Amino acid sequence: MVPAPSPTGRRELLARAAETVDALGMFAEVSRRLRRLLPYDAAVWRVTDPVTGMMTAPVRVENLDEGGCAAYWESELFTENVNLFRDLALAPVPVAGLRRTTGDLPARSTLYQDFMRPRGLRDELRAVLRVGGRPHGHISLFRAAGRAAFDSRDTALIAALSTPLARKLRTFSEPTAPLAPAVSPGPGLLLFDASGVLLSANDEARAHLEDVPEGPAVPSALGLCIPAWLQTTAMKARAVAQQRDRGRARIRVRTRTGRWLICHASCLRGADGALGPSAVVIEPARASDVVPLIVDAYEFTDREAEVTQCIARGLPTAEIARRLHLSPHTVRDHIKAVFEKAAVSSRGELVSRLFTEYYAPLAESGTLRTTVPDEDS
C-alpha cells in the first residue's frame, strides 16, 4: 500500500504556490512538489479562459512531445466521450482518472488509443482547476506502462488542490504596471485546414504572434510556429460547426508585455454548404473583454463590481445609490471594500489600476471618464 499524501505536504505545496508571481512559475513549483506526493511520468498544465473553458496561454508541458497536442485535442473535440474537460468543469468532483472511469478498460477511450498508447502512457488523471464555478486551468497527469493506475487517494489530493490553485491563477489577471502607449497591429487573420494545418496568415497575425508567451507550438510551412492554444481554437471552431462540441471558439490571451488579445474562430462554408477552412482572428481586446477578468481577480462581489463600473463612469455616490437602489451609506461601504481589495485609496487610483490600458477606447465610447472625482457624497 502506498501511504496517503500527508496534509503537511499539501499545505507546503499550496504555500509555495501562493508565493509564485506568474502561471508558469506556479505550474513549475506545484509540479515539483506534487511529484513527491503523487508520482507521475508526464504532465501538461494549462491556463484556460474562465468563460469558454478553452486552453489559452501559458501552457507547461513535461516529458511529452509538443507535436502531440493536435492528436490530444482531436480526440477531445471530435471523438472522445470519457472524462471530457467540459463535463468535469461541471462535475461535483472536477477530477477523474481514465482507468477508474472506464473500469480498467482504457481502450474505450480514443484518447488512450490515439494519444496515450503510442507514447507508452498507461493512465491519465485530469482535473479542472475551478473557483466560483469558473474553470481557470486544466491539469493532465500521466503514468507510464508499468506503474499503478491513479487511485481514489490521488483523485482526492488533486480535488483538494483544485480551488486553491484556481484562485491563485485568477490573481494573475490583475493589472500590471501602466504600459507605455503603443500602436497595436490591427486584426490578424489565419486560415487552417480541417487537420489544423496553417494555410495562410496576414502580416498583422504575424505581428501579434511575436508577442504571445512561449509554449508548445508546431512549425508551419509559412515559417510561423503556431501556439498549441491557437491551433486548438481553430479545431474547436470546426468541432462546433460539425455539432461535435458546443460553446464558442473564443479565448483571451495575455501577451508578454501584459496586454490582452482576443482570439476567436469560426468555420467557413462554401457555396454548397460544405465546411471549408477555419478562420482565426487575433485582435487587441476591448475593455469589455478584459474588465471581467480583472474584477474577478480582485474577488469583487457582484455588487462591488456594479459599484466599480459606476465609479468608472464618473458617477457620484448619490447617483450610484439611486441607480443601484441602495442607500448612500451602503454604497460607501462597498467603495471601501473595493478600495481595500484593489489596494487603492481613491476613485482615480482605482480607475487607473483597473482600466489604464484602455483609457482611449473607453473614453471614445463614453463608458469611462478619464478624470474621476474623489468624493464621498
Side-chain angles (χ1 to χ4, degrees):
M1 291 285 290
V2 177
S6 69
T8 301
R10 185 173 67 244
R11 287 195 295 268
E12 179 67 15
L13 182 154
L14 291 174
R16 296 299 184 181
E19 297 172 355
T20 57
V21 298
D22 57 36
L24 282 180
M26 190 196 85
F27 290 156
E29 181 65 22
V30 171
S31 182
R32 184 172 68 87
R33 294 181 175 274
L34 184 61
R35 284 179 184 270
R36 304 173 187 173
L37 308 176
L38 186 162
Y40 52 89
D41 300 293
V44 184
W45 304 76
R46 313 173 189 89
V47 172
T48 59
D49 188 293
V51 173
T52 62
M54 293 177 57
M55 174 175 64
T56 181
V59 179
R60 175 181 171 87
V61 177
E62 301 174 7
N63 299 333
L64 286 171
D65 59 293
E66 296 183 356
C69 186
Y72 187 95
W73 290 102
E74 183 81 20
S75 296
E76 174 79 12
L77 294 171
F78 294 95
T79 60
E80 186 59 270
N81 56 11
V82 178
N83 297 342
L84 295 175
F85 282 115
R86 72 186 187 198
D87 295 334
L88 285 179
L90 302 174
V93 178
V95 187
L98 177 60
R99 285 190 172 261
R100 285 177 60 83
T101 299
T102 61
D104 206 28
L105 297 172
R108 294 177 177 177
S109 162
T110 59
L111 178 70
Y112 177 80
Q113 297 180 43
D114 298 341
F115 178 82
M116 293 173 58
R117 185 161 57 185
R119 292 167 174 79
L121 301 174
R122 181 174 188 266
D123 197 13
E124 179 196 35
L125 184 67
R126 59 167 56 181
V128 174
L129 307 180
R130 68 186 185 190
V131 60
R134 295 182 178 180
H136 289 265
H138 292 164
I139 302 175
S140 297
L141 307 179
F142 299 96
R143 282 182 176 164
R147 282 194 184 268
F150 292 103
D151 60 23
S152 58
R153 288 170 298 183
D154 300 325
T155 299
L157 171 60
I158 300 300
L161 298 176
S162 172
T163 295
L165 294 182
R167 184 171 286 114
K168 181 59 178 178
L169 282 176
R170 186 171 63 178
T171 67
F172 298 136
S173 293
E174 293 179 7
T176 55
L179 302 175
V183 178
S184 178
L189 177 64
L190 305 99
L191 295 180
F192 292 84
D193 69 12
S195 61
V197 173
L198 180 65
L199 299 175
S200 61
N202 65 3
D203 291 341
E204 288 78 6
R206 292 174 179 272
H208 283 305
L209 290 179
E210 289 179 356
D211 195 27
V212 299
E214 295 183 4
V218 294
S220 70
L222 278 66
L224 284 174
C225 282
I226 304 303
W229 49 264
L230 183 62
Q231 187 180 47
T232 302
T233 304
M235 295 170 66
K236 169 81 170 185
R238 182 168 295 275
V240 171
Q242 293 180 359
Q243 298 183 336
R244 295 176 181 270
D245 201 22
R246 57 180 182 266
R248 297 182 298 164
R250 182 181 178 89
I251 59 174
R252 288 162 287 196
V253 179
R254 198 167 196 176
T255 67
R256 287 178 295 186
T257 54
R259 300 183 186 277
W260 288 90
L261 301 173
I262 284 286
C263 176
H264 51 98
S266 59
C267 199
L268 307 179
R269 292 184 182 273
D272 60 354
L275 292 178
S278 292
V280 180
V281 176
I282 306 178
E283 57 188 336
R286 298 171 300 177
S288 58
D289 295 317
V290 180
V291 167
L293 290 177
I294 298 173
V295 167
D296 202 29
Y298 284 119
E299 299 188 23
F300 292 164
T301 66
D302 291 344
R303 185 61 85 182
E304 289 167 358
E306 291 176 338
V307 170
T308 300
Q309 291 170 357
C310 290
I311 291 174
R313 295 185 175 93
L315 301 181
T317 299
E319 179 62 16
I320 296 174
R322 186 187 68 79
R323 292 195 180 199
L324 300 183
H325 305 289
L326 301 172
S327 71
H329 178 73
T330 300
V331 170
R332 293 190 188 95
D333 286 343
H334 286 310
I335 293 174
K336 180 180 179 182
V338 166
F339 282 6
E340 290 177 352
K341 290 180 179 180
V344 299
S345 58
S346 69
R347 296 185 181 212
E349 189 180 356
L350 174 68
V351 171
S352 178
R353 174 69 57 86
L354 298 183
F355 308 106
T356 187
E357 296 181 31
Y358 305 99
Y359 268 3
L362 279 170
E364 291 168 5
S365 64
T367 58
L368 171 66
R369 287 181 54 175
T370 54
T371 302
V372 180
D374 288 321
E375 57 80 40
D376 293 314
S377 59

